[in-house]
Amino acid sequence: MASKNPKQSLTEMNELVLPNDTNTLGNLMGGRLLHWMDIVSAIASQKHSNNVVVTVSVDFVSFTESIKLGELVNLRAKVTRAFKSSMEVWIEVFAENIPEGTRKKCNEAFYTFVAVDVNNHPITVNEIVPETADEQLMFESAMRRRQVRLIQAKRMKPEDAPELKDFFGF
Ligand SMILES: CC(C)(COP(=O)(O)OP(=O)(O)OC[C@H]1O[C@@H](n2cnc3c(N)ncnc32)[C@H](O)[C@@H]1OP(=O)(O)O)[C@@H](O)C(=O)NCCC(=O)NCCS
């Protein structure tokens, strides 16, 4: 199926941290943020594949800064690379304190989605065409991240991951 989005198009989502989203310290709970990241990256991969997608893997999640009650959470997602039926999405999260006029990057993660048909069978998606140098880097490194996650999931043997071997020199 033809994709309307062969590029690494940006998908954005905004959320306001409300009391029910926080722990007793008034910080956004990690699970709520993972849920929002799942939604924004599902939208990005649906837009690329023009199809229903399911989450198959979540990895390289970092929580570097806490996000406070009342802050605006800006989530930015891009499909870095599409393989056969799966797509890797990179999500960056920023927290904005509107009254203070501050904005900081708080988190990032990679989610992998698979486009499926009505019977939950994987279907082929179109490739991504990187345009900028940064996009090209993300595109190339996506192959190594895919190999790491497939090895961890026991779906690939390390000896079948040439890009990883070359990169780490083993
Ligand atoms: C996603 C799903 C349909 C894949 O089914 P499957 O029988 O494993 O299909 P395949 O072996 O053909 O794999 C399909 C793709 O998923 C990828 N994949 C499977 N497991 C993966 C993992 N742990 N990490 C990354 N990619 C994975 C495969 O590499 C393949 O990608 P490709 O087509 O781009 O090469 C099936 O595993 C599923 O339904 N999972 C549950 C999804 C879900 O409910 N998510 C919500 C979380 S609660």
Side-chain angles (χ1 to χ4, degrees), residues 22-49:
T22 63
N23 61 20
T24 50
L25 299 171
N27 296 331
L28 174 64
M29 289 198 290
R32 184 66 55 120
L33 184 57
L34 288 169
H35 173 62
W36 290 342
M37 291 166 119
D38 193 32
I39 293 174
V40 72
S41 50
I43 294 169
S45 53
Q46 283 201 28
K47 278 162 55 177
H48 176 70
S49 61

Side-chain angles (χ1 to χ4, degrees), residues 102-115:
T102 58
R103 178 180 167 88
K104 60 185 181 188
K105 180 170 170 179
C106 299
N107 308 73
E108 64 180 334
F110 290 90
Y111 280 54
T112 305
F113 290 83
V114 174

